Amino acid sequence: MDAGKSDDVAIDGISALGWRLLRVAAGFSQRDVEKEIDDIMQAHISMLESDARSLSEQRLEQLFELYRAELTDEQIDALVRNF
């Protein structure tokens, strides 16, 4: 991923810790995500962040877009690259 290019993020390559850090950095609790995205439950987020289960590519894209709206490209780059 080029620095400053959050469009280039391979969402299927984001680690469980990376997903958790993106959520927290974007200012969302697991319950907040549940309220923002239809048909996603807190348990789904918890399993994704604990690496116990992944979500469909469509759900991952929705989740990433939710977080991306609240973060800068530099923040996303730092979290995805380092975690």
Side-chain angles (χ1 to χ4, degrees):
M1 179 173 87
D2 295 332
K5 297 287 185 182
S6 64
D7 289 334
D8 295 339
V9 172
I11 59 170
D12 58 342
I14 299 173
S15 70
L17 177 58
W19 281 111
R20 182 169 58 108
L21 293 173
L22 285 169
R23 177 181 54 78
V24 172
F28 290 98
S29 70
Q30 289 180 352
R31 290 262 185 226
D32 293 334
V33 173
E34 183 178 52
K35 293 174 188 173
E36 292 289 327
I37 300 177
D38 291 337
D39 299 325
I40 198 166
M41 297 171 40
Q42 179 183 359
H44 296 143
I45 301 303
S46 181
M47 288 186 283
L48 174 67
E49 294 177 0
S50 67
D51 208 19
R53 176 181 166 193
S54 188
L55 299 174
S56 70
E57 186 174 338
Q58 178 185 12
R59 289 288 184 214
L60 291 175
E61 288 173 5
Q62 289 176 316
L63 195 57
F64 184 73
E65 289 303 317
L66 178 67
Y67 300 160
R68 186 167 97 161
E70 302 298 325
L71 300 170
T72 66
D73 287 341
E74 291 79 17
Q75 289 172 309
I76 292 169
D77 183 49
L79 293 171
V80 171
R81 280 184 186 267
N82 296 305
F83 300 99

